[in-house]
Amino acid sequence: MNVVHDNAPALPPRSQPTTYHEYIDFLKQQLHSPSAITPTLKQQHNNDKVRIQCQVRARIPTNEGGEMYLYLYKNNQDTKEHLAIVYGDDIRSRSLDNTWENETIMNRIVRGAYYGRLEEVVTDESRNLNLNEDQTRYLEEQQAKAKAQFAQSSNPPLVRIHSECFTGETVHSARCDCGEQLDEAMRLMQEAGRGVVVYLRQEGRGIGLLEKLKAYNLQDLGHDTVAANVLLKHPPDARTYGIANAILEDLGLKDVMMLTNNPDKIEQLEAYGSIKVVERRAMVPRSWSSTPASSPLLGSKELDKYLAVKVRKMRHLLDVPQGAEK
């Protein structure tokens, strides 16, 4: 990793590692001397208020030529790693900026708590992460200037609160449109240059992958997606959005344009009192749009049934095409 700016003082000459094990030892000395102590979040007791903490951020270039920042959050409600996919340089986590015990400027850079862009800081001249006093002072001054220049727009960004769906996103199941919705939300945000996907680990509308696969078998016996959950002694939708609300607050957002068909999602979010949905934008499936794909989508019959049930039984705000429930 190259972390010293052109204008920073040069590092003193040093012998370079000559073996793999020497190289590993060398890297450990760079990253862990001294070690920053990761703050802890105590687990929930007696309905404690939701508390979240962004522990790392990284820039992610996309295959479409754009980029996003991926924020990883811990919380006091569960042990899962929830995420925020952020488009735009003006949306930033507040908890990411908190200083950790024993933390150096280089620790902050490694966990993504830097301002500006890393190419403003790094060069190809050194791999040494142990900076001397002059180099440390230079980076601290550079970061202070970049922080002073940071300003967040008050314009409402596009936001999607998206629950993890292994079957729809990874194995392309035709039993839901989750993968399509995630792709479309990210496409719209990249096009707009600004937006946030809050990615919650709530597989199967909150029942988990194990129970979700059981529900799939019940669907093959003729039950719909709602009935299958209930037959397994789960609510039709067990998802909650307290962590999503806390993440959006942490990102400094108040007014948002929500990409969703689900009124329950809006109602739950606004009930916390800190986020206002100023506009809802529908997520119309390709097979139901006025300009559908040129070739029919495989598995669209099962998808049509699923979407129709969401409209009929779960209040989703979509116009069901004629014949979609057959």
Side-chain angles (χ1 to χ4, degrees), residues 85-99:
I85 303 167
V86 177
Y87 293 84
D89 291 332
D90 76 306
I91 301 174
R92 182 181 178 87
S93 163
R94 296 170 179 175
S95 62
L96 177 73
D97 286 339
N98 293 340
T99 302

Side-chain angles (χ1 to χ4, degrees), residues 30-287:
Q30 309 311 300
L31 285 174
H32 300 290
S33 178
S35 289
I37 298 176
T38 304
T40 58
L41 282 170
K42 294 181 179 179
Q43 292 301 301
Q44 178 188 23
H45 295 290
N46 301 321
N47 296 318
D48 288 344
K49 179 182 177 180
V50 175
R51 293 192 299 121
I52 53 91
Q53 178 188 78
C54 182
Q55 295 200 338
V56 68
R57 174 189 73 147
R59 186 183 67 87
I60 309 292
T62 69
N63 291 327
E64 291 74 27
E67 66 178 21
M68 66 187 77
Y69 284 89
L70 191 60
Y71 291 71
L72 185 146
Y73 283 87
K74 297 285 190 178
N75 71 91
N76 68 333
Q77 306 292 300
D78 58 42
T79 59
K80 299 174 182 177
E81 294 177 333
H82 302 281
L83 303 167
I85 303 167
V86 177
Y87 293 84
D89 291 332
D90 76 306
I91 301 174
R92 182 181 178 87
S93 163
R94 296 170 179 175
S95 62
L96 177 73
D97 286 339
N98 293 340
T99 302
W100 295 6
E101 186 178 350
N102 293 347
E103 187 170 53
T104 65
I105 185 65
M106 192 52 60
N107 293 141
R108 293 183 63 80
I109 288 174
V110 170
R111 67 178 179 88
Y114 58 85
Y115 280 83
R117 303 182 70 83
L118 278 185
E119 58 262 31
E120 300 169 0
V121 181
V122 305
T123 70
D124 294 326
E125 297 178 358
S126 174
R127 295 180 181 273
N128 192 336
L129 303 186
N130 278 335
L131 306 180
N132 61 34
E133 290 184 7
D134 289 339
Q135 292 163 339
T136 297
R137 187 181 307 109
Y138 173 84
L139 280 180
E140 290 173 345
E141 291 174 354
Q142 187 271 344
Q143 282 296 288
K145 291 178 182 177
K147 182 176 181 179
Q149 295 171 356
F150 175 82
Q152 184 162 356
S153 170
S154 60
N155 294 329
L158 291 172
V159 167
R160 174 162 178 80
I161 300 176
H162 187 91
S163 296
E164 178 181 28
C165 180
F166 173 82
T167 50
E169 297 161 8
T170 304
V171 298
H172 308 295
S173 165
R175 294 184 193 263
C176 70
D177 61 337
C178 300
E180 179 185 326
Q181 287 190 333
L182 180 60
D183 290 345
E184 178 64 4
M186 295 171 70
R187 184 191 71 80
L188 291 171
M189 291 175 192
Q190 180 163 300
E191 186 178 81
R194 193 164 182 263
V196 176
V197 177
V198 178
Y199 190 89
L200 301 176
R201 300 304 176 87
Q202 299 188 128
E203 181 79 47
R205 299 201 299 274
I207 67 175
L209 186 57
L210 172 65
E211 295 296 290
K212 180 181 183 179
L213 296 180
K214 293 179 184 178
Y216 277 6
N217 290 328
L218 287 173
Q219 289 177 40
D220 281 342
L221 292 176
H223 302 286
D224 63 44
T225 182
V226 170
N229 278 29
V230 174
L231 287 169
L232 292 170
K233 303 187 185 305
H234 299 296
D237 191 341
R239 291 174 295 179
T240 59
Y241 300 104
I243 291 172
N245 177 75
I247 289 175
L248 292 174
E249 278 190 292
D250 183 61
L251 294 172
L253 302 180
K254 295 180 179 179
D255 297 336
V256 301
M257 296 185 292
M258 184 73 72
L259 295 168
T260 186
N261 302 322
N262 185 358
D264 180 62
K265 191 176 293 185
I266 297 174
E267 291 163 6
Q268 282 200 48
L269 183 65
E270 290 194 326
Y272 292 101
S274 54
I275 307 296
K276 175 66 175 177
V277 178
V278 297
E279 181 181 340
R280 182 190 73 87
R281 296 193 182 180
M283 301 293 289
V284 181
R286 291 194 303 271
S287 58

